[in-house]
Amino acid sequence: MKKQFSSIGLSFLFLGLVNAYIHPITIHGHYFVDSVTKEPFFIKGVDYQPGGSSGVSGAKDPLSDPQECARDILLFQELGINTIRIYSINSELNHDVCMSLLAAAGIYLVLDVNSPLPNHHLHRYEPWNSYNVDYLENIFKVVEQFAYYNNTLGFFAGNEIVNDYQSAKNSPVYVKSIIRDLKMYIEYNSPRPIPVGYSAADDLKYRIPLAEYLECVDSNPAESVDFYGINSYQWCGEQTFYTSGYNLLVEDYSRYNRPIFFSEYGCNEVSPRIFDEVTSLYSTDMIDVFSGGLVYEFSQEPNNYGLVELLPNGDVKLLKDFNSLKSQYELLPEINYNYVANSMRRNAKEIQARLKKQKYALPQCDNSYDNLDISKGLPKTIAEDMIEIGVEVARGKYVELDSNMLTPQYNIFEPNGAPHIGEKSIVPIVDIMSGSDIIRKHHIKGFHNCTYNDLEEIEDKLNKFDSIFNIDNEDNEEESNSDSDSDEFKPENSIMFQSVSNFFHQIYNSLGF
């Protein structure tokens, strides 16, 4: 009789474990994974850039004002999210309190390394002019500062840089070279591996070929992107997995070797938004291909995508979209372990099969990709000295939080103007001061940042996995979702399944990770 794993929540719920420090996220195959518990991590969050591009200056950015951070993180907790994306920061400012508040609330950050400040971004039409020492020094400063926060999930090397004919002609090789430079800097200077990704415009002419080009490897694995984000607004109003075309997105990326997620989603052509797509995004229709997503966006800006309105005095008015999204998150069903475990197992077998035939588990680069000009090849890095020596900037560190830091001094109002009834202070759910200090390690020869390990003797390990768990990796979806009490595997009845963490440790140990 086939055994079933109990269907309980996965990693966007695991942060409810109090008194555990926040764990870095790493990558195994096309999954984000908690580096300690080995649980798959599904991004459930929002894009966050109060004030838009003008919200970053020499004196301020989204993570520089502790009171504003506390105000917004309080609402992040109410939404129940685990990740935010920030599009730009000023690396010369201090971000310790805000990052500590996020970590205490169990919230990760995906951070773009570019900013609208001078010499801090790549010019999509003339990238050879902006790819210079000043630009690279700044993006390395961003890495240097944020690498020391465990809740820095990853870095975006670019956002929609390739989005039309001219940029597709001039920018792809520079985007790939920036990914290479960032990954090499992390490899030599970061205290831990941190994934580097790219956020793509939802244009079919460029989105898929660019994903393939950024993923591929010639001789240097540092040139391959670690994850790929898609800015997608194709689900509008009352649609389904099929009428929205989400089924085609899943098909497009079903063979992609890196984690994929929505770096922006939430069409506003129908307002107020109802966010029906949330249920599909975290269902078995998508979770073996997509690792969740980020709703665009938290604060109301001129483009009218906000969940809240930030008032001139710093108070906040919730918009109808906030309550709608909160309701959708609260209604999310639990994720079936058996389904996810079998998907992970198949992914690991695919990796090993490729490693038996080639040096890397990633595809070899082609000579050309549709609609992209890569004919000139990658420009040679101009960052050797900075990568070797490192750049000077104040490194981030967690700080002790007191009740004043956790309690914002702003008012929050309902969409109708009535006072909002909710928590008044951030509720810490992880102890950010526990765990080991993050210490810079000397570089070890060989590239290790978020790349696949060579899984030797994987077949024996997989056979052992079969015998231990008595499951068939070809289980169909109907069987995996069975509710039969007689077939349900009870973790509490086995010493091998004392916790969610133990479950995924068993999987990854059996697979050789």
Side-chain angles (χ1 to χ4, degrees):
M1 182 177 293
K2 197 171 3 282
K3 296 177 180 177
Q4 299 290 329
F5 301 124
S6 62
S7 177
I8 60 180
L10 280 183
S11 58
F12 52 76
L13 299 177
F14 90 95
L15 291 169
L17 301 174
V18 181
N19 295 326
Y21 73 98
I22 194 163
H23 307 147
I25 301 299
T26 188
I27 290 173
H28 288 325
H30 61 244
Y31 291 93
F32 289 113
V33 174
D34 183 296
S35 60
V36 176
T37 70
K38 306 304 180 185
E39 295 177 53
F41 183 86
F42 295 93
I43 291 172
K44 177 188 174 192
V46 298
D47 297 307
Y48 179 68
Q49 193 74 33
S53 60
S54 61
V56 177
S57 67
K60 187 176 182 180
D61 69 25
L63 293 176
S64 64
D65 187 319
Q67 268 295 306
E68 292 183 359
C69 287
R71 174 199 65 194
D72 297 340
I73 293 169
L74 182 65
L75 292 174
F76 295 162
Q77 275 201 319
E78 184 170 334
L79 276 175
I81 64 173
N82 64 13
T83 308
I84 63 170
R85 174 190 183 179
I86 291 179
Y87 292 82
S88 55
I89 55 94
N90 183 343
S91 62
E92 301 298 332
L93 301 178
N94 186 289
H95 305 109
D96 290 344
V97 175
C98 288
M99 287 299 291
S100 297
L101 289 168
L102 284 168
I107 296 172
Y108 288 85
L109 168 67
V110 184
L111 179 61
D112 290 59
V113 296
N114 299 287
S115 90
L117 298 175
N119 293 316
H120 288 187
H121 54 274
L122 192 74
H123 192 293
R124 60 169 52 89
Y125 300 129
E126 298 178 355
W128 48 85
N129 290 329
S130 51
Y131 179 75
N132 55 44
V133 171
D134 289 339
Y135 168 75
L136 291 170
E137 181 181 20
N138 178 70
I139 66 175
F140 293 160
K141 283 182 177 180
V142 173
V143 169
E144 187 73 45
Q145 183 176 97
F146 282 83
Y148 288 81
Y149 303 118
N150 270 355
N151 58 326
T152 300
L153 189 157
F155 298 107
F156 275 122
N159 178 64
E160 298 190 355
I161 294 174
V162 176
N163 65 358
D164 58 18
Y165 171 80
Q166 194 65 27
S167 59
K169 179 180 179 181
N170 294 334
S171 289
V173 295
Y174 283 89
V175 171
K176 199 171 177 77
S177 67
I178 292 168
I179 291 167
R180 172 201 64 199
D181 294 345
L182 284 168
K183 291 182 66 170
M184 291 303 298
Y185 188 90
I186 290 168
E187 175 72 9
Y188 274 78
N189 296 282
S190 172
R192 62 183 176 91
I194 305 176
V196 176
Y198 177 79
S199 178
D202 191 14
D203 187 322
L204 279 174
K205 290 197 325 188
Y206 311 114
R207 172 169 53 79
I208 295 174
L210 185 61
E212 295 172 348
Y213 172 60
L214 295 183
E215 174 193 35
C216 75
V217 173
D218 280 325
S219 59
N220 183 0
E223 295 170 0
S224 174
V225 76
D226 293 319
F227 60 87
Y228 198 68
I230 300 169
N231 299 338
S232 175
Y233 296 90
Q234 65 190 59
W235 186 310
C236 297
E238 294 184 0
Q239 293 194 282
T240 69
F241 177 66
Y242 295 98
T243 64
S244 66
Y246 269 32
N247 61 316
L248 300 179
L249 278 174
V250 170
E251 184 179 330
D252 287 342
Y253 293 105
S254 61
R255 304 300 296 174
Y256 203 64
N257 297 283
R258 295 303 207 187
I260 294 272
F261 64 94
F262 288 135
S263 42
E264 294 177 7
Y265 75 95
C267 171
N268 67 352
E269 291 180 8
V270 178
S271 183
R273 293 181 286 181
I274 55 178
F275 296 109
D276 275 352
E277 64 267 47
V278 166
T279 301
S280 283
L281 183 54
Y282 298 99
S283 74
T284 52
D285 286 332
M286 300 188 73
I287 55 173
D288 54 349
V289 176
F290 278 79
S291 295
L294 300 156
V295 169
Y296 190 83
E297 63 180 321
F298 182 72
S299 60
Q300 184 75 304
E301 307 297 340
N303 55 10
N304 202 38
Y305 281 90
L307 301 176
V308 307
E309 180 183 355
L310 303 180
L311 303 177
N313 65 352
D315 290 346
V316 176
K317 181 182 178 181
L318 305 184
L319 301 177
K320 291 181 180 179
D321 286 7
F322 180 94
N323 292 324
S324 178
L325 180 62
K326 177 184 174 182
S327 296
Q328 290 288 356
Y329 282 156
E330 289 173 345
L331 292 172
L332 279 177
E334 296 173 338
I335 295 177
N336 184 283
Y337 271 123
N338 200 31
Y339 184 87
V340 177
N342 281 326
S343 295
M344 288 178 150
R345 185 179 183 280
R346 286 193 298 271
N347 186 219
K349 290 186 72 173
E350 291 166 359
I351 292 170
Q352 179 57 20
R354 288 192 293 270
L355 287 172
K356 288 180 178 179
K357 300 177 182 178
Q358 59 195 55
K359 184 176 181 181
Y360 302 113
L362 299 168
Q364 187 78 14
C365 290
D366 294 333
N367 293 326
S368 64
Y369 292 87
D370 292 344
N371 304 315
L372 306 179
D373 185 352
I374 62 168
S375 59
K376 295 180 180 178
L378 270 63
K380 186 178 184 298
T381 184
I382 55 175
E384 294 97 334
D385 290 342
M386 283 187 282
I387 291 172
E388 183 70 26
I389 300 170
V391 297
E392 291 295 326
V393 70
R395 295 173 186 164
K397 64 180 184 301
Y398 291 141
V399 297
E400 294 277 5
L401 300 172
D402 58 34
S403 59
N404 290 329
M405 294 177 180
L406 294 166
T407 307
Q409 305 303 310
Y410 295 106
N411 298 310
I412 301 173
F413 301 99
E414 292 288 347
N416 64 5
H420 176 63
I421 299 174
E423 294 287 348
K424 302 301 181 184
S425 297
I426 297 168
V427 179
I429 62 173
V430 290
D431 180 3
I432 59 172
M433 305 309 290
S434 69
S436 303
D437 290 336
I438 304 180
I439 301 172
R440 183 191 294 275
K441 299 178 180 178
H442 294 296
H443 175 68
I444 302 172
K445 185 177 180 181
F447 191 80
H448 303 89
N449 188 49
C450 295
T451 57
Y452 299 112
N453 294 320
D454 189 354
L455 310 180
E456 295 180 356
E457 301 177 353
I458 192 71
E459 293 303 327
D460 290 341
K461 294 179 185 294
L462 288 170
N463 291 334
K464 183 180 180 181
F465 181 89
D466 283 338
S467 63
I468 290 174
F469 299 113
N470 191 26
I471 63 172
D472 180 358
N473 73 305
E474 299 301 327
D475 288 348
N476 61 40
E477 183 176 332
E478 180 179 355
E479 292 170 329
S480 296
N481 289 314
S482 171
D483 293 324
S484 169
D485 291 337
S486 62
D487 284 348
E488 185 179 10
F489 180 72
K490 304 292 186 182
E492 62 271 21
N493 293 338
S494 170
I495 61 173
M496 305 184 73
F497 287 88
Q498 297 303 313
S499 67
V500 172
S501 175
N502 274 346
F503 174 73
F504 282 100
H505 269 296
Q506 290 290 340
I507 291 177
Y508 277 91
N509 288 340
S510 71
L511 297 181
F513 284 109

